């Protein structure tokens, strides 16, 4: 959700905004047909949020104050941000003294009649997988590669959809004593590209076993876990009317409020709600929920991660949680600007940074500590590191800015998923001893 800081950011911002402004009409022409048309989504539903360019915020502290309005920051530029905000949140941002400019809305499949339920992606997006399509694809891979890939239902979402964990390894049915690595996707409903990322990894790692030496070696020596959809309810809700709703949270009702949903990436049980990095208002984009791990989806994955403690040792050594957008590789902590302190030694920080920078060099993303964007509390990678000592990263995928924001066309899927192949393989390779990245394997990874 945001963007690298570039000297002369103003020009960059203008270019980004222009490209956003241009992208929608071009998309509209491309997909126009008697049965499809682009509708400005607020025309159909005045309650849907919009993206705005906000001119002024230039520091992490200013962006953290901005997030306190309940809006979500989607892009960060030198002296501006792009936010997703509803009407009330936009008014609050204005009251902070900032100038707002509304950006084009995402496209719709066809003229939307109230109450209609399309439950699919619009034209130009049909290669994205709905929950049912992803399940079918996964089941097909499990049937094709039973010795390499196994599927577990680790729990259900609020609305009762299965949350899956796929395991990839040689001798997949055995729990071998091998470093384990976790990939998670789709905490945020509108970030559909991340499900495609998970499906790409499942396909690539199974199909290339036996022919690609690097992948073969990794599956022979690692146990890889992929949770392809942490927020199936939110994802389905986002596409249900044929018009993207810019939905972020899960679909859990909130007691005493008509507002629905918890921001899963503010709900994890480490420093939950500690530091002005989330909201206590159920109507806000970054609502942290009424208690740590109150969201069933967070409970399911937390329990799964705890289940990987074998003989008193967490087996999962490294992780990536996929998000969109802004092309970033982020590492903990998000709750503090400090690089080191309780829970993060200098060597640990240096290891995070060394691996993160190397991965970013491979995919062209920008590497940085998460809090450089803005403060977050209750995010998954703070929990994975702070509570479980997993070297956990967040990847913010394509685009850097413009390019369709949360809704890039499906034509980008192959390029933007395979773009992370090298980074993923690097993380898998380093998982047996992350401290090798700073040359301290003798100190930290001696057996016995
Ligand atoms: O949860 C978020 O706000 C993330 C960024 C953090 C992991 C620092 N951005 S997103 O919501 O736009 N994916
Ligand atoms: Ca194992
Ligand atoms: Zn996200």
């Amino acid at each position: 959700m945001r963007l690298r800081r570039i000297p002369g950011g103003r020009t960059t911002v203008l270019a980004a905004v222009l490209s956003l402004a241009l992208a929608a009409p071009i998309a509209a022409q491309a997909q126009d047909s008697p049965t499809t048309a682009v509708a400005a989504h607020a025309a159909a539903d005045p309650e849907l949020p919009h993206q705005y360019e906000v001119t002024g915020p230039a520091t992490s502290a200013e962006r953290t104050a901005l997030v306190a309005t309940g809006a979500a920051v989607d892009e960060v530029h030198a002296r501006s941000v792009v936010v997703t905000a509803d009407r009330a949140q936009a008014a609050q941002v204005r009251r902070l003294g900032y100038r707002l400019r509304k950006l084009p809305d995402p496209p719709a499949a066809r003229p939307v009649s109230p109450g209609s339920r399309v439950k699919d992606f619009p034209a130009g997006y049909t290669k994205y997988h709905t929950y049912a399509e992803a399940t079918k694809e996964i089941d097909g891979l499990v049937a094709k590669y039973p010795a390499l890939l196994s599927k577990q239902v680790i729990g259900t979402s609020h609305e009762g959809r299965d949350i899956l964990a796929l395991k990839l390894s040689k001798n997949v049915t055995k729990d071998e004593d091998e470093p384990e690595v976790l990939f998670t996707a789709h905490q945020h409903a509108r970030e559909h590209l991340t499900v495609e990322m998970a499906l790409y990894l499942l396909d690539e790692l199974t199909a290339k076993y036996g022919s690609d030496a690097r992948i073969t070696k990794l599956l022979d020596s690692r146990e890889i876990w992929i949770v392809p959809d942490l927020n199936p309810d939110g994802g389905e809700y986002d596409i249900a009317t044929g018009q993207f709703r810019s939905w972020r949270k899960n679909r859990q009702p909130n007691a005493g409020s008509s507002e629905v949903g918890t921001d899963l990436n503010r709900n994890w049980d480490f420093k939950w709600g500690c530091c002005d990095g989330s909201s206590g208002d159920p109507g806000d984009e970054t609502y942290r929920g009424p208690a740590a791990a109150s969201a069933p989806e967070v409970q399911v994955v937390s329990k799964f991660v705890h289940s990987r403690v074998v003989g008193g040792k967490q087996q999962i050594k490294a992780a990536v949680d996929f998000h969109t957008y802004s092309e970033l590789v982020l590492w903990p902590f998000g709750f503090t600007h400090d690089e080191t302190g309780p829970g993060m030694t200098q060597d640990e920080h240096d290891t995070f940074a060394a691996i993160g920078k190397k991965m970013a060099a491979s995919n062209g993303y920008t590497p940085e500590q998460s809090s450089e964007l803005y403060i977050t509390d209750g995010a998954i990678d703070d929990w994975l590191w702070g509570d479980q000592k997993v070297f956990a990263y967040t990847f913010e995928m394509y685009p850097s800015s413009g390019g369709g924001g949360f809704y890039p066309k499906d034509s980008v899927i192959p390029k933007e998923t395979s773009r992370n192949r090298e980074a993923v393989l690097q993380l898998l390779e380093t998982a047996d001893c992350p401290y090798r990245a700073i040359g301290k394997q003798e100190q930290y990874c001696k057996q016995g």
Side-chain angles (χ1 to χ4, degrees):
M1 101 134 36
R2 55 41 76 106
L3 216 231
R4 65 193 70 183
R5 233 145 294 135
I6 300 166
R10 189 146 178 260
T11 321
T12 313
V13 172
L14 269 175
V17 170
L18 268 175
S19 71
L20 261 182
L22 288 171
I26 289 165
Q29 286 158 24
Q31 54 191 69
D32 222 12
S33 80
T35 53
T36 63
V38 171
H41 73 175
D45 183 349
E47 294 310 315
L48 289 179
H50 302 285
Q51 276 194 314
Y52 298 89
E53 183 203 19
V54 181
T55 307
T59 64
S60 174
E62 286 169 351
R63 293 187 287 271
T64 301
L66 190 68
V67 170
T69 63
V73 173
D74 302 333
E75 296 179 26
V76 172
H77 301 263
R79 279 173 288 286
S80 69
V81 296
V82 171
V83 299
T84 298
D86 66 17
R87 230 184 329 197
Q89 291 153 0
Q92 259 190 279
V93 173
R94 258 183 219 104
R95 281 199 287 278
L96 289 177
Y98 295 127
R99 194 160 49 81
L100 274 70
R101 192 148 88 87
K102 188 179 160 299
L103 299 175
D105 289 320
R110 49 186 65 87
V112 177
S113 54
S116 72
R117 287 287 178 273
V118 173
K119 294 189 174 151
D120 203 353
F121 285 91
Y125 297 83
T126 52
K127 292 202 174 79
Y128 283 93
H129 289 73
T130 65
Y131 178 76
E133 289 165 349
T135 305
K136 198 169 162 213
E137 174 95 8
I138 289 164
D139 288 345
L141 287 171
V142 172
K144 193 169 171 190
Y145 302 102
L148 282 184
L149 178 63
S150 77
K151 168 176 141 175
Q152 295 178 20
V153 177
I154 55 173
T156 52
S157 65
H158 170 73
E159 291 177 350
R161 293 184 178 86
D162 286 346
I163 296 178
L164 307 180
L166 284 307
K167 182 183 172 190
L168 291 124
S169 195
K170 186 187 177 192
N171 305 323
V172 71
T173 55
K174 279 200 218 146
D175 186 359
E176 297 182 310
D177 187 13
E178 296 170 337
E180 302 184 18
V181 179
L182 173 68
F183 299 95
T184 49
H186 208 203
Q187 285 205 75
H188 291 140
R190 60 191 167 215
E191 299 170 13
H192 301 283
L193 186 59
T194 65
V195 175
E196 304 308 315
M197 184 68 223
L199 294 176
Y200 164 80
L201 288 178
L202 287 170
D203 188 53
E204 180 73 7
L205 296 173
T206 49
K208 301 274 170 74
Y209 182 81
S211 62
D212 180 300
R214 208 169 159 201
I215 286 177
T216 306
K217 193 172 169 198
L218 283 168
L219 263 72
D220 285 349
S221 61
R222 304 283 183 269
E223 295 187 324
I224 304 166
W225 296 100
I226 299 183
V227 177
D229 195 344
L230 240 152
N231 186 6
D233 301 352
E236 291 294 284
Y237 179 77
D238 194 51
I239 61 171
T241 63
Q243 176 181 45
F244 292 125
R245 281 164 146 153
S246 299
W247 191 255
R248 172 180 172 92
K249 300 185 280 183
N250 74 351
R251 292 296 300 161
Q252 192 176 11
N254 291 303
S257 168
S258 59
E259 302 281 1
V260 172
T262 292
D263 181 350
L264 299 181
N265 209 29
R266 298 295 183 276
N267 189 242
W268 298 83
D269 191 7
F270 179 77
K271 301 272 182 191
W272 177 80
C274 72
C275 303
D276 293 331
S278 58
S279 168
D281 181 341
D284 286 351
E285 294 278 299
T286 56
Y287 178 51
R288 68 178 78 98
S294 54
E297 298 84 0
V298 169
Q299 282 169 29
V300 165
V301 176
S302 302
K303 195 170 152 219
F304 169 72
V305 171
H306 283 134
S307 79
R308 298 316 307 146
V309 177
V310 178
K313 267 189 154 177
Q314 176 55 261
Q315 301 297 296
I316 301 172
K317 303 298 175 201
V320 177
D321 186 41
F322 290 102
H323 287 253
T324 67
Y325 60 96
S326 281
E327 301 185 359
L328 304 169
V329 172
L330 304 173
W331 57 81
F333 282 122
F335 80 87
T336 175
H337 290 295
D338 295 342
E339 288 187 348
T340 62
M344 182 73 78
T345 66
Q346 189 68 53
D347 280 352
E348 289 165 349
H349 167 269
D350 292 351
T351 301
F352 265 114
I355 295 170
K357 285 176 184 173
K358 194 169 170 213
M359 290 194 293
S362 79
N363 60 12
Y365 291 7
T366 299
E368 61 190 356
Q369 185 171 327
S370 165
S371 54
E372 281 196 47
L373 288 181
Y374 44 83
I375 293 289
T376 57
D377 46 45
I380 189 172
D381 43 11
D382 276 18
W383 177 74
L384 279 171
W385 177 254
D387 199 62
Q388 298 291 312
K389 284 287 176 275
V390 175
F391 279 93
Y393 293 84
T394 293
F395 279 19
E396 295 280 0
M397 295 176 67
Y398 176 91
S400 56
S401 67
F406 290 111
Y407 299 106
K409 292 295 195 70
D410 61 14
S411 53
V412 312
I413 292 172
K415 180 157 180 263
E416 296 303 332
T417 53
S418 60
R419 181 175 177 179
N420 288 319
R421 181 187 197 270
E422 173 64 26
V424 163
L425 296 187
Q426 283 178 13
L427 193 68
L428 289 168
E429 283 164 352
T430 203
D432 64 315
C433 182
Y435 296 96
R436 200 184 306 119
I438 57 165
K440 296 204 174 179
Q441 59 274 24
E442 294 299 315
Q443 185 178 339
Y444 289 106
C445 305
K446 273 265 172 36
Q447 293 301 327

